[in-house]
Amino acid sequence: MKKVSLLLLLPFFSFAQQYPLKLWFDEPANHFEEALVLGNGRSGVTVFGGADQEKLYLNDISLWAGEPVDPYMNPEAHTYMPLVREALANEDYKAADSLMHFIQGSFSQSFAPLGDLTIDFRHTPVDDYYRELDLDNATVNIRYTHLGHMFERSYFYSHPDKALVMRFKTDSPDGIFATLKMDSQLRNSSKAQGEFLHKNGKAPVRIDPSYYNQNTDPIIYEEDGGTRFSGMVGVLKNDGSTVLTDSSLSINGAHEATVVLSLATSFNGFDKDPYREGLDEKAIALQQLQGALSQSTEQLQKNHLEDYHEFYNRVKLNLGEDKLSNLPTDERILRYEKGATDPYLETLYFQYGRYLLISSSRTKGIPANLQGLWNPYMRPPWSSNYTMNINAEENYWPAEITNLPEMHKSFLTFIENLSKTGAVTAKTFYGADGWTASHNSDIWAMTNPVGNFGDGDPVWANWAMGGTWASAHLYEHYAFSKDKEWLKNYAYPLMKGAAEFCLDMLVEAPDGTLVTSPSTSPENVYITDKGYKGATLYGAFADIGMIKELFLDLVTSMEILEINNDFRTEVEQALVKLRPYKVGNKGNLQEWYHDWEDAEPFHRHQSHLYGLHPGRHITVKETPKLAEAAKKSLEIKGDETTGWSKGWRINLWARLLDGNHAYKMYRELLRYVKPDAIRPKNEGHGGTYPNLFDAHPPFQIDGNFGGTAAVAEMLVQSDENHIYLLPALPDAWQKGEVKGLRARGGFEVDLSWSDGKLNSVTVYSKPGTETILVYKDQMKNIRLTEGEKIYMEEL
């Protein structure tokens, strides 16, 4: 290990979090937003923890309504593009908005709830109730006393063994009596199969979005269509007796029992009919179950922990002592909302986001959706789909920086699926080359503008930059990993296709620069100087920012790959001609081509600030005037917004190097929100539910992931040539330490600080070579070989 002078080493507490991280409660959950979740990256469970009756919601990330999308659904849509462009050239924005309705296709499909598993214990009343989610071990534990005896149960969802493992224990001489039953909101049937309880069913071929109610029947099944599912329950260990019927499995008189659940679906790829070309879900579920039952309970737990710890333990964060371990999590949130300090809660929320990503994103081509993996509704909010104008991407902001690149691959491989349907969308909807994606997508990689062929408002239905935004993740993965072969063989071709679409969407603006036409700024409405409120325009700066980021990444990629051709020249020339950012008369970064007012000045989206975050071409040091204008835009919008938007704004303030404002909003992200069923209708602010789920409201997991990423951004930022140490450290975090954050260029970083000042830093090559460490006005060039680390102290 090298030792190099850089920073003053001060006395500090021992490294890494020393306390267990857990969510815990002193009563069972009554609502979904109070329950605790587990997942193995494909299948998941929501645990309520009832003593009289346990309720478990079951999900599989591959169980969606629908079937492969027809990308040719509106083959003449592109013929309206010249008409829209003509209307915009004539400044007839009303006509442009009207014409955009002809450039729409179907809605996305919905993520479906697989089923429920209930376990009747009939333990009432109970005393000393305790329920926890142990983040360090990805395990839910429940215990209580009933009639003077202790009853315990635990759950974990194993990735290596693809099974939910449920353990029951008691010291009661009578033992445990429990009856398990499976049910589903989907069409289903139950039967005993050998020694196993078996539930079969299938999803509809269509579920309309919850906000669309113009069809007589919003849920459609077909006899020979839809994704099938299978769930099987078997007993691994039982020192009592087992009774099996077609509809139930009972454990009688056991002092210790282990029950295993296996789930599978017929989904066989985004482009294969899940009914006719589907996998054999029954055989898969049976194979998984038999594999788990062939091992001991202890071996299953060992397999689970070894697998989970490989990812979770890479990053440790310590922001201070846990002085309130006697308070349940919901009470801590309420106390925190009133202004109390709680560094443990702040650390818990950070690691909870990493936990959720590990639990919901380990399946090729199927990313975490709007609710991650956990959905109990037939018509979930916004179809629980992939909302491509921020939410799907925000889910993956923590993947690289918090050392979970394997989880990022679910989204990265999904992009390839999008590119295939998106090439047809580009041609038929826009008359363009390359590929694109729009506002919404689903497991079938749908890329068309949504709106049910004309019913959608262009303000959300006709956004065209989904492929552009998603492609930024390709280069991000390279920037952190430095995997040149992956860049060459996978990322670059996809980025190139996305750029080809962008080039065809660019037209010459009145000032001679290049802008998109038509254009929208996600879900936001402008007011022209004549008073018209609209969505469609030319040259929205959200488009400009996303295209600029993609083109910059692409040019850098071509330099790395030594590609010099006409396409590179075209991209470089377009990059020079892109319309530069404009500062409005309020000092804000303009969102629209003209300096128009916003219909909603406090709107939740801030897409025109994309270049600041998640993009990297607006920075405080390199483009100070633009950074100042971005700051003014945030000040005009204010801090009150929804959960996912607050997560984004925390990252934006961190990139502005204002740690105190970022921290203020991080505290607001942790503001208590009641479960939806009991939340007053006028209580619509974003925040956090009792189980730490992000409240849009309703629940959207993107805010959790945005918040986790923001904590990392406050502590470490990077570009491919620099690592910035504690760039946005808030005053509230006077001392702390973090281990295992990743930096662009191929590095990992450990930090410790006290009295608000950096004590020490350790940098690991993974497989980076050269970088410049930056702390305030200090800079240090370092060079490492792969696998080498360098520890620095003493200025």
Side-chain angles (χ1 to χ4, degrees):
M1 180 180 72
K2 290 186 178 180
K3 185 174 181 180
V4 178
S5 296
L6 174 68
L7 302 164
L8 181 63
L9 182 66
L10 299 176
F12 192 63
F13 50 91
S14 60
F15 187 80
Q17 67 198 37
Q18 301 297 313
Y19 41 79
L21 287 176
K22 59 182 66 179
L23 290 71
W24 77 270
F25 304 86
D26 56 10
E27 59 184 6
N30 292 313
H31 304 285
F32 173 65
E33 298 85 359
E34 298 170 329
L36 300 173
V37 296
L38 296 166
N40 68 357
R42 182 181 179 102
S43 300
V45 61
T46 306
V47 182
F48 282 71
D52 189 46
Q53 182 186 74
E54 173 67 280
K55 184 165 53 177
L56 306 173
Y57 291 161
L58 306 175
N59 288 104
D60 188 285
I61 205 163
S62 66
L63 185 63
W64 289 62
E67 52 198 2
V69 66
D70 175 12
Y72 295 94
M73 65 182 72
N74 192 349
E76 301 304 314
H78 66 96
T79 62
Y80 289 90
M81 281 287 289
L83 302 178
V84 174
R85 284 175 167 166
E86 182 181 5
L88 291 174
N90 294 329
E91 310 292 331
D92 190 346
Y93 301 103
K94 183 176 182 180
D97 273 338
S98 180
L99 287 164
M100 290 289 268
H101 288 269
F102 294 97
I103 310 176
Q104 294 179 5
S106 65
F107 287 118
S108 73
Q109 290 301 329
S110 292
F111 180 49
L114 187 144
D116 308 322
L117 178 66
T118 58
I119 311 175
D120 289 320
F121 291 103
R122 297 183 179 84
H123 293 159
T124 184
V126 299
D127 298 307
D128 303 319
Y129 181 91
Y130 178 85
R131 172 173 62 101
E132 73 170 16
L133 169 59
D134 176 359
L135 289 191
D136 298 328
N137 296 300
T139 303
V140 168
N141 299 303
I142 298 160
R143 64 176 181 266
Y144 51 81
T145 58
H146 171 60
L147 300 179
H149 294 284
M150 177 65 71
F151 289 83
E152 299 180 17
R153 59 185 185 267
S154 66
Y155 306 87
F156 60 87
Y157 220 128
S158 171
H159 176 78
D161 292 305
K162 300 177 177 60
L164 173 65
V165 180
M166 300 168 275
R167 304 180 68 178
F168 310 135
K169 288 183 180 181
T170 185
D171 63 5
S172 169
D174 296 329
I176 297 167
F177 291 82
T179 300
L180 293 81
K181 295 181 179 179
M182 291 184 70
D183 201 359
S184 177
Q185 299 176 67
L186 306 177
R187 289 187 177 177
N188 68 89
S189 62
S190 295
K191 68 173 183 178
Q193 179 171 320
E195 300 176 344
F196 310 137
L197 181 65
H198 194 186
K199 173 70 71 175
N200 296 316
K202 69 173 182 176
V205 295
R206 194 192 80 211
I207 299 178
D208 287 343
S210 58
Y211 53 81
Y212 187 79
N213 297 298
Q214 296 186 32
N215 290 322
T216 303
D217 190 348
I219 301 174
I220 300 295
Y221 286 91
E222 288 183 0
E223 189 65 30
D224 57 352
T227 302
R228 301 182 303 271
F229 72 86
S230 179
M232 293 187 183
V233 180
V235 178
L236 171 61
K237 183 177 184 179
N238 179 13
D239 60 4
S241 63
T242 302
V243 178
L244 182 66
T245 72
D246 280 346
S247 61
S248 67
L249 187 156
S250 297
I251 293 171
N252 301 321
H255 297 92
E256 186 172 352
T258 302
V259 179
V260 178
L261 166 76
S262 169
L263 301 176
T265 79
S266 66
F267 178 78
N268 193 24
F270 78 102
D271 55 354
K272 291 185 174 62
D273 186 304
Y275 193 85
R276 296 176 180 83
E277 304 173 90
L279 300 174
D280 187 342
E281 74 287 354
K282 296 176 186 177
I284 295 171
L286 179 61
Q287 182 183 39
Q288 292 173 174
L289 183 61
Q290 289 175 331
L293 294 178
S294 68
Q295 304 177 69
S296 67
T297 304
E298 292 72 23
Q299 185 62 48
L300 289 172
Q301 185 176 38
K302 180 176 182 290
N303 297 343
H304 161 66
L305 292 177
E306 287 180 352
D307 171 78
Y308 176 70
H309 288 160
E310 165 63 25
F311 303 107
Y312 179 79
N313 287 349
R314 290 174 182 172
V315 172
K316 299 290 185 181
L317 176 67
N318 189 338
L319 296 175
E321 298 177 59
D322 179 17
K323 298 180 180 180
L324 301 166
S325 59
N326 62 323
L327 282 183
T329 301
D330 52 347
E331 292 184 26
R332 292 181 84 139
I333 301 171
L334 285 165
R335 180 181 176 276
Y336 187 78
E337 183 182 19
K338 295 175 182 178
T341 59
D342 194 341
Y344 176 91
L345 183 64
E346 294 164 353
T347 303
L348 181 70
Y349 191 88
F350 167 80
Q351 290 285 32
Y352 185 58
R354 296 184 68 248
Y355 164 81
L356 291 174
L357 193 59
I358 297 169
S359 302
S360 64
S361 186
R362 297 182 69 178
T363 304
K364 182 180 179 180
I366 313 178
N369 58 53
L370 270 178
Q371 279 72 41
L373 171 60
W374 302 278
N375 163 47
Y377 307 111
M378 275 297 290
R379 297 179 72 190
W382 301 286
S383 301
S384 193
N385 64 17
Y386 303 120
T387 307
M388 300 295 294
N389 67 7
I390 166 64
N391 313 93
E393 292 87 353
E394 186 172 2
N395 282 1
Y396 288 91
W397 288 352
E400 299 293 340
I401 192 171
T402 73
N403 219 330
L404 298 173
E406 294 88 350
M407 281 72 247
H408 203 181
K409 290 180 180 178
S410 292
F411 186 67
L412 298 175
T413 50
F414 178 63
I415 296 172
E416 183 177 22
N417 299 348
L418 292 175
S419 74
K420 294 176 181 178
T421 56
V424 180
T425 294
K427 284 289 187 188
T428 58
F429 282 86
Y430 299 100
D433 289 333
W435 69 273
T436 187
S438 303
H439 175 60
N440 291 137
S441 190
D442 53 25
I443 198 171
W444 313 109
M446 188 201 79
T447 52
N448 56 272
V450 294
N452 201 37
F453 301 93
D455 292 340
D457 189 330
V459 75
W460 49 265
N462 288 95
W463 183 71
M465 291 287 115
T468 311
W469 192 331
S471 293
H473 283 253
L474 297 165
Y475 190 78
E476 277 288 270
H477 184 67
Y478 167 76
F480 280 90
S481 68
K482 308 303 286 185
D483 186 343
K484 188 174 178 179
E485 287 301 309
W486 183 85
L487 177 68
K488 175 183 177 181
N489 298 321
Y490 185 82
Y492 173 74
L494 293 173
M495 294 164 61
K496 180 176 183 288
E500 288 169 340
F501 173 77
C502 293
L503 288 168
D504 281 351
M505 290 295 286
L506 292 171
V507 302
E508 191 169 283
D511 63 2
T513 61
L514 290 180
V515 298
T516 49
S517 179
S519 178
T520 62
S521 193
E523 303 185 51
N524 206 357
V525 172
Y526 57 75
I527 306 174
T528 70
D529 53 357
K530 294 184 174 74
Y532 176 71
K533 294 182 180 180
T536 310
L537 71 155
Y538 55 81
F541 277 106
D543 286 4
I544 301 297
M546 293 172 197
I547 291 172
K548 183 171 184 177
E549 189 76 14
L550 174 60
F551 285 6
L552 288 169
D553 290 344
L554 198 55
V555 169
T556 303
S557 298
M558 288 188 278
E559 290 175 355
I560 295 166
L561 300 175
E562 299 180 347
I563 296 173
N564 291 286
N565 53 22
D566 291 343
F567 176 69
R568 176 172 175 175
T569 300
E570 187 179 6
V571 171
E572 290 175 335
Q573 290 175 346
L575 191 54
V576 172
K577 288 191 68 177
L578 279 180
R579 189 168 195 246
Y581 288 104
K582 299 293 181 180
V583 177
N585 59 19
K586 297 177 182 177
N588 59 302
L589 200 65
Q590 266 182 218
E591 184 163 0
W592 319 106
Y593 182 91
H594 300 287
D595 193 12
W596 289 332
E597 294 292 326
D598 295 333
E600 299 177 55
F602 311 121
H603 196 266
R604 62 195 175 277
H605 282 263
Q606 45 266 327
S607 308
H608 61 304
L609 306 185
Y610 174 93
L612 176 64
H613 184 278
R616 291 170 284 115
H617 62 263
I618 296 177
T619 69
V620 171
K621 294 183 178 180
E622 299 297 326
T623 59
K625 291 183 179 179
L626 295 181
E628 189 62 30
K631 178 180 179 181
K632 185 63 177 179
S633 292
L634 287 173
E635 289 172 346
I636 291 171
K637 281 184 174 290
D639 293 344
E640 185 53 62
T641 189
T642 60
W644 65 260
S645 178
K646 200 175 290 285
W648 189 358
R649 291 185 193 181
I650 302 167
N651 282 276
L652 286 163
W653 282 108
R655 288 281 176 92
L656 289 170
L657 310 183
D658 191 337
N660 287 334
H661 203 127
Y663 178 74
K664 170 186 178 292
M665 294 197 72
Y666 187 60
R667 289 190 64 100
E668 292 170 1
L669 185 65
L670 280 158
R671 181 168 46 177
Y672 184 88
V673 176
K674 295 177 181 176
D676 289 348
I678 59 174
R679 176 170 50 87
K681 291 183 178 179
N682 62 350
E683 187 181 284
H685 63 74
T688 296
Y689 290 115
N691 65 356
L692 290 191
F693 268 171
D694 170 67
H696 172 69
F699 164 51
Q700 285 189 195
I701 203 166
D702 37 33
N704 288 104
F705 295 136
T708 291
V711 171
E713 288 282 341
M714 286 189 260
L715 301 178
V716 174
Q717 294 178 25
S718 62
D719 55 41
E720 290 179 83
N721 299 308
H722 303 83
I723 300 174
Y724 301 93
L725 309 174
L726 304 180
L729 184 70
D731 292 342
W733 295 344
Q734 281 292 294
K735 65 179 182 178
E737 52 190 350
V738 67
K739 173 186 180 296
L741 294 182
R742 296 175 82 221
R744 293 172 184 84
F747 299 96
E748 285 185 15
V749 181
D750 300 344
L751 298 173
S752 67
W753 68 94
S754 61
D755 297 324
K757 297 178 182 180
L758 185 64
N759 287 336
S760 64
V761 55
T762 305
V763 180
Y764 303 81
S765 170
K766 299 269 184 172
T769 54
E770 293 184 72
T771 192
I772 300 172
L773 292 186
V774 182
Y775 175 63
K776 296 184 177 180
D777 59 351
Q778 302 175 65
M779 301 177 68
K780 182 73 177 181
N781 291 283
I782 63 171
R783 182 176 181 83
L784 300 172
T785 58
E786 184 171 351
E788 189 178 10
K789 67 178 180 179
I790 189 167
Y791 174 77
M792 300 186 179
E793 62 181 30
E794 297 178 358
L795 182 63

